[in-house]
Amino acid sequence: MPERIYIFDTTLRDGEQSPGASMNLEEKLLLARQLEKLRVDVIEAGFPISSDGDFESVKRIAEEVRTVSIAGLARANKMDIDRCWEAVKPAAKPRIHTFIATSDIHLQYKLKRTRDQVLEDARQAVRYAKGFCDDVEFSAEDAARSDLDYLCRVFEAVIEEGATVLNVPDTVGYAIPSEFGERIRYVRTHVPNIGKAILSVHCHNDLGLAVANSLTAVQEGARQVECTINGIGERAGNASLEEIVMALHTRRDLLAFETGVNTREIYPSSGLLTNLTGMLVQANKAIVGRNAFAHEAGIHQDGILKEKLTYEIMTPESVGIKDSKLIMGKHSGRHALKRKYEELGFALNPTELEKAYILFKKVADRKKEVFDEDLITIVRDGLRIFPEAYKLKYVQASGGNQILAAAAVMLEKDGALLRDSAVGDGPIDAALRAIDRITGMPGRLMDYTVHSVTKGKDAVGEVHMKVDFGTISFIGRGASTDVIDASARAYLNAINKMVHYQMALAEHKHTESAAGDS
Ligand code: KIV
Ligand code: ZN
């Protein structure tokens, strides 16, 4: 019987705290539901004390995602743990994850506490957390650079207090696999009560070794791996979930372990995260990169055609990449579209299907063949998570290297049609300026990427942009066969998020003042 490795997903905590990866509550919920479909064992949903927004999203995820353990992060103090427990309490399987640094570097410069004091802090924190919750994970931050005997003493103490999971983070991605493996073996053999807890690892990727370190740790006795979708996370990121899971899956001959992950949900999870954050995955990224299963060299293509085993160690289907044969075009009807979406894993309700059908027809009118990626883009872009305050009715722009770029835009808001035009530094700039004139809420473009999601000259281009509104910034995305149209849609997407945010803020203030009055 292969031994079970528990997959602890921290995309919504360590991943989300990295630059450019922030998500709002609805987006986090959407990702959490997808992680549930992926069948990870634990979702670390956030760090509740860090902000009201984080608290709310951990709580909502705990209320709504019922089949997975929901963890919240807390420093080793009562206030953090209280807040964390408030947030994870509604979960079917709550977990408090408390941590404190154990390396001398952190003790001396950051915490300014002695080893004995930190050991006592850790002990007290776990004891306190245990008063609320059976499942308590303890992390020794910067464990990879901590004195080993001291680390073991801390672990022994927190197990005595009831810690159920002991986590060994390589917080700064400093370890080398053989060294990290030895560290895990040392902990396993020098903590007398280690049998009462699950040993876990949490590796950062600063030297590109997070996955290698995690797998070596598994070989040495770690049974929980902390990781993120697409490997996002602080600095160079965390160990990538898809790489860990597929390495275990593909090399069962060497690694006699299994996870509970439904590998066919890996690709949809990766795509959803990209779509929510605008953080694109590099083309040659293992498992989920665009080229991960593309065979370009003639010799390779020849080999693959003769026998896939020659150059393919796992199939694209096994990670959820569909190789669909059903061709969709302008003559395809609603029935075909519904079936096609089901095939792609989307169960659309009648209203969503109708909306998708209208968008599909628009694409089909402009292209001979509508690819799977076009359809996925329609669902992601067309069936927005946010109520749209502004809708794009049309955008018309002209540009070139000899004339001043100009754009005319028409938007719809609450049934009224609003028009304006502007000149700009290129047609995209002109279109965005025209939108600014209509909405009266100009944003500053911080980041802009465009990539084609389908093949051919008439491909659908997807634009991601980060728009700064002064106090807060939002990711906007839009897709179209026309890059100006896609850019205008992406910009409006960010504006609609801003409108939604302002409304939520006003509502919150109103509720607070009403509560104050009573
Ligand atoms: O990298 C780290 O040490 C962490 C801990 C809080 C687990 O993220
Ligand atoms: Zn981390």
Side-chain angles (χ1 to χ4, degrees), residues 364-414:
D365 277 345
R366 292 196 234 165
K367 302 186 65 173
K368 273 204 294 294
E369 189 181 324
V370 181
F371 296 105
D372 291 355
E373 292 90 334
D374 295 314
L375 297 172
I376 292 170
T377 304
I378 286 173
V379 181
R380 285 179 185 164
D381 187 49
L383 311 178
R384 290 163 197 273
I385 309 159
F386 289 89
E388 287 181 290
Y390 292 97
K391 287 194 181 74
L392 182 70
K393 299 308 282 183
Y394 74 67
V395 54
Q396 185 102 39
S398 60
N401 61 0
Q402 302 293 326
I403 57 164
L404 192 62
V409 171
M410 189 203 278
L411 305 182
E412 186 191 318
K413 184 168 193 265
D414 302 329

Side-chain angles (χ1 to χ4, degrees), residues 10 13-15 17 44 73 141 167 169-172 202-204 226 233-235 237-238:
T10 183
R13 200 276 299 166
D14 217 331
Q17 76 193 41
E44 185 166 49
L73 186 68
E141 191 189 10
N167 188 30
D170 180 13
T171 304
V172 289
H202 173 114
C203 297
H204 280 268
E226 304 198 352
E234 282 281 338
R235 306 180 308 279
N238 288 62

